[in-house]
Amino acid sequence: MAGNEWINGYLEAILDSGAGAIEEQRAAQVNLRERGLFNPTKYFVEEVVTGVDETDLYRTWIKVVATRNTRERSSRLENMCWRIWHLTRKKKQLEWEDFQRMANRRFEREQGRRDVTEDMSEDLSEGEKADGVGEFVVESPRRNFQPNFSNLEVWSDNNKEKKLYIVLISLHGLVRGDNMELGRDSDTGGQIKYVVELARALAKMPGVYRVDLFTRQVSSPEVDWSYGEPTEMLTAGADDGDGADVGESSGAYIVRIPFGPRDKYLRKELLWPYIQEFVDGALAHILNMSKVLSEQIGGGQPVWPYVIHGHYADAGDSAALLSGALNVPMVLTGHSLGRNKLEQLLKQGRQSKEDINSTYKIMRRIEAEELSLDAAELVITSTKQEIEEQWGLYDGFDVKLEKVLRARARRGVNCHGRFMPRMAVIPPGMDFSNVVVQEDVAEADGELSSVTNSDGSSPKAFPAIWSEVMRFLTNPHKPMILALSRPDPKKNITTLLKAFGECRPLRELANLTLIMGNRDDIDEMSAGNASVLTTVLKLVDKYDLYGQVAFPKHHKQSDVPEIYRLAAKTKGVFINPALVEPFGLTLIEAAAHGLPMVATKNGGPVDIHRALNNGLLVDPHDQQAIASALLKLVSEKNLWHECRKNGWKNIHLFSWPEHCRTYLTRVAACRMRHPQWQTDTPTDELVNEESFNDSLKDVQDISLRLSVDGEKSSLNESVDLAAASSGDPGVQDQVKQILNKIKKAEMPSKDTDKKVLDNTASKYPMLRRRRRLIAIALDCYDSTGAPEKKMIRIIQEITRAVNLVSQIAKFSGFALLTAMSLSELTAFLKSGGVNINDFDALICSSGSEVYYPGAYIESDGKLYPDLDYASHIDYRWGGDGLKKTIWKLMSSQEGGATHSSIPIEEDFKSSNAHCVSYFIKDLSKAKKVDDMRQKLRMRGLRCHLMYCRNSTRMQAIPLLASRAQALRYLFVRWSLNVANMYVILGETGDTDYEELISGTHKTLIMKEAVEKGSEELLRTTGSYLRDDIVPGESPLITTTVKATADEIANALRQISKSSSGL
């Protein structure tokens, strides 16, 4: 481990002072290798100290060295030895906990496979049963995961007329089209370049009309003003040569959505509480764009996104919610994965799982990735290794189960609601437009001489970055070994430098250039990056590499191709020595510029090497192997030329057009879906005769309904009631015209036997004309789960409060969001003397059903649910298979034993086609939502599980359903912007309560309104925290203590005022 020279010194001092006896007592416990000899110093350095944080130890050692008193010095040395001993014990403890955790996970995975095999074997033949069981239980020889492309139609110019709208999402970091600040921080790296180039490339493909790349708008003095611009054009749309296909809104754009603190640039770990706010803002943009595109290319019909593609966990979480709100397919690219990072950090033994979670918010990230797997139709990876070794760590993906479910689907056999996302290996593309094919380096010496100006003549105009690199080098004509990465410990730059420094033939034959991002002052960099750079400087000094190693402080993104070109002109080699490389885009860039490669054998470079065959793979931990591979390529010119030609020969496999062609081919094979209802919904109520019944109903209900529109209410914002009552002739004429049209609309229909009344009052709810919505989601229940009477009083106080706030009362409607079924809710409201028609919308059974009182009425007067919503949430609904599995899981104990008494009982009264409800008979045996969700995912079942009604019920509803998502549905269906909604909650509630707090809507939390909720059943120990979901402070959230009309009105005024400046 680099920088541990001081450790050898103090260990020798410990041994000299006699304190080394402590470790000698443990020598018998150590696995003695190397011919039975035990070296305490080597053991400490290689096995102990390298696994703990040495910063504090190093500081203590400095103090020890400065101590002159021999006795005190010996005492301090002994204390240091004991500290290392305790750190080692802690590491071993963490390793043991990790081992137990992995063992429990393997058991759960195998148990899940057995359950799936048992459930799905009922409808198979005997032969198929044997096949199915064999695929789960018998371990077959390891094979590479190879998706089948044979039945897919490759995307071609024949799709030119499609005119697709594609949405990409990449939230963190600083995203812009030109002068990307790659390496500025850990969030602004290769992913930024990837998504920008992907957006540009997709916009040029046949059949793609517009691509929007969503990211965060940052208006902070810390960053450039360009990151605060709402939109930025990346490229104009593709055309057929005469510009006929180019439309006003075609092309690729960066769309920056404001969310979180407007004046702060936040690292990605701090963005989690604001994800819902982004989703609402992005949803508003998409709906506006669908209307714009409907006029340009849709023939008046809305144009919905063809696909929503999330990049990284935060964007995957957002894409899942957007996909659910719009009912369009979702695609995911992980880039780097949380579970893989957690495993690596735990293996290091430096931090506990709690410490890791506190630093990286790793559990929130993992849950976002799991949710993304739940919702994604397709997951795009760069390598096969990523599928098996990284996604295979997740509850929501099992390679074996995915194969079985796919085989059953092909045979038309029922999968009982089980699903696994499809994985597709599509290597990232590269823009070759700036790549100049190098000549055979014949002029290299002359060109470099011109740059160095060794003959005294005027230098030619060469890239400034060449001079910046070569000023470090004594002999810049030697072949250049080039490494380009952030100064991150995972990139293993220090091992490369040691390999170079300790190999004399390599030093004599080549130079080393390290492009390690941009820096001004090492002391101002993050601890990890600063540590790597400091070590680099020390190693350069240790091996006396001055004049042989270049490490410039700054470079622009536009300089990178020139750096590759310089290395190629010197017949150099590109190296990526990372400990693990998810893909290795720089290897492709280097190959395109004619550079052979030496790369790590861990991760994506294996696939790149298989495709290009343009270099050598090495063990990144083997310093000697790295030096030997570099020396071989630099010294053997025939091999160098062969690798160079091989790279050029196959580089087209990694071009952006090839990537996009494969991408669109795979997306086209997904199950396409999008909203269907807008085609028959009137957009102009004054023009459509069908809507006038609603208009009259608004007039009639002004003094009757709880959702009164205020003292200055108007009919469709144009007919003033006061003017009509005062005898204004013009207004009275308008009223007469409306009444005449209403009489025509109310004439009896010939089809009187229909179950649903054929009149517009039952066809279109008044919600479509509301400007604001007061959504009441108070979970007030007693110990039996029955609604408390005080909820009626609070609802009445809220209604009075709304009418006291003039800016809110006008054109406002009311919605009630509850875990109760419609029949229970109706009975409860009736018992309190509240008419159900006082509400514009009822979201019942935890968001599994939506009703519109006064509309959607059956012939017998009963409400019927929004069937469009029912179809909307049906996606991946497990139904009977889910019900059977929940019953089995709740009946079993840890380890597989069965409870003597089953802790749940089905609640038929509260269940419906999209909600399975259970009574909780024994709360002590109820499993947490986290635990149940993990087990269901392992069995291929996707749903939204929650405890509700004061922990007396458990409900399972479809994945795309929830009370929060139902509000977004109202936005999409009836154009009632979420930003114009006021959500009223208690301090606690059902386990979906947290989802209702954040977003662009205004949230009013009423203290003391809800005494006890169900949130204690939400998370297991070690899971993500509430602070990772709900922002600590937000101008969109306020509270009130007293449930009185005046207090509530004041709170509504306050939140309206504080949010108006956003």
Side-chain angles (χ1 to χ4, degrees), residues 649-663:
K649 178 181 178 181
N650 299 310
I651 197 66
H652 70 277
L653 297 173
F654 299 97
S655 68
W656 275 119
E658 188 72 22
H659 175 96
C660 292
R661 189 175 296 110
T662 307
Y663 173 89

Side-chain angles (χ1 to χ4, degrees), residues 736-785:
K736 287 178 182 179
Q737 292 175 12
I738 292 172
L739 292 175
N740 288 333
K741 292 180 178 180
I742 291 172
K743 289 177 181 179
K744 293 179 182 179
E746 289 184 337
M747 291 178 66
S749 171
K750 294 180 180 179
D751 194 6
T752 55
D753 295 332
K754 286 185 177 179
K755 181 179 181 181
V756 180
L757 291 179
D758 189 15
N759 60 59
T760 55
S762 63
K763 187 175 183 181
Y764 300 118
M766 290 174 295
L767 202 63
R768 65 195 171 98
R769 271 197 315 281
R770 298 300 185 192
R771 286 187 179 179
R772 301 173 189 84
L773 184 69
I774 312 301
I776 303 172
L778 294 168
D779 302 321
C780 305
Y781 301 98
D782 61 23
S783 58
T784 66

Side-chain angles (χ1 to χ4, degrees), residues 148 191 233 593 622 733 755 785 794 861 1061:
N148 181 16
Q191 178 182 328
M233 175 181 270
H593 286 84
D622 191 337
D733 287 342
K755 181 179 181 181
I794 296 175

Side-chain angles (χ1 to χ4, degrees), residues 298-552:
Q301 299 299 318
V303 176
W304 301 108
Y306 186 62
V307 68
I308 296 177
H309 187 167
H311 293 266
Y312 194 78
D314 47 13
D317 190 306
S318 306
L321 294 175
L322 278 172
S323 168
L326 291 164
N327 200 25
V328 298
M330 174 199 162
V331 174
L332 172 69
T333 299
H335 290 276
S336 67
L337 302 182
R339 281 201 188 277
N340 187 58
K341 181 168 185 173
L342 176 62
E343 296 296 326
Q344 296 295 330
L345 291 172
L346 287 174
K347 285 178 182 177
Q348 291 178 6
R350 300 182 182 184
Q351 295 175 288
S352 66
K353 187 177 179 181
E354 291 72 23
D355 293 336
I356 295 170
N357 191 34
S358 175
T359 303
Y360 298 103
K361 308 296 181 185
I362 202 77
M363 300 313 296
R364 177 65 181 91
R365 175 178 170 183
I366 289 171
E367 178 55 31
E369 289 162 340
E370 293 283 10
L371 176 61
S372 301
L373 286 175
D374 288 342
E377 285 277 355
L378 179 68
V379 178
I380 294 176
T381 70
S382 300
T383 65
K384 297 181 180 70
Q385 177 263 354
E386 186 180 343
I387 296 174
E388 296 181 343
E389 298 182 17
Q390 296 184 42
W391 282 117
L393 297 172
Y394 284 77
D395 304 328
F397 182 74
D398 184 333
V399 173
K400 295 181 180 180
L401 180 53
E402 193 275 339
K403 291 179 180 178
V404 172
L405 293 177
R406 182 151 37 101
R408 288 173 67 94
R410 282 200 300 265
R411 297 196 300 263
V413 181
N414 186 7
C415 292
H416 298 277
R418 290 176 167 82
F419 170 84
M420 285 284 163
R422 293 295 303 270
M423 297 271 172
V425 178
I426 309 178
M430 179 183 168
D431 181 9
F432 297 127
S433 60
N434 295 322
V435 176
V436 178
V437 177
Q438 299 287 314
E439 63 284 352
D440 278 342
V441 211
E443 301 177 4
D445 288 346
E447 292 190 43
L448 295 179
S449 297
S450 298
V451 177
T452 56
N453 203 18
S454 58
D455 60 357
S457 61
S458 298
K460 296 180 181 179
F462 284 103
I465 191 65
W466 285 22
S467 299
E468 180 65 20
V469 170
M470 287 190 291
R471 70 184 179 88
F472 287 88
L473 305 175
T474 303
N475 182 4
H477 301 272
K478 293 196 296 185
M480 179 186 293
I481 298 169
L482 173 63
L484 193 155
S485 70
R486 300 190 314 272
D488 189 301
K490 295 180 295 185
K491 299 302 181 181
N492 205 29
I493 296 173
T494 53
T495 300
L496 167 64
L497 194 53
K498 290 170 70 175
F500 182 78
E502 294 179 12
C503 181
R504 184 174 179 179
L506 188 60
R507 291 200 316 269
E508 292 176 349
L509 198 59
N511 293 319
L512 177 62
T513 296
L514 304 175
I515 307 297
M516 300 176 289
N518 290 285
R519 63 186 183 276
D520 290 316
D521 187 341
I522 293 178
D523 290 336
E524 295 177 358
M525 301 180 72
S526 64
N529 291 357
S531 175
V532 171
L533 283 164
T534 302
T535 303
V536 165
L537 296 177
K538 289 182 178 179
L539 289 174
V540 168
D541 187 74
K542 175 182 177 180
Y543 295 113
D544 194 14
L545 299 177
Y546 299 104
Q548 296 175 288
V549 177
F551 40 93

Side-chain angles (χ1 to χ4, degrees), residues 953-967:
R953 306 286 198 285
M954 180 179 72
Q955 292 183 341
I957 61 177
L959 176 68
L960 302 185
S962 71
R963 293 188 288 180
Q965 284 292 79
L967 291 178

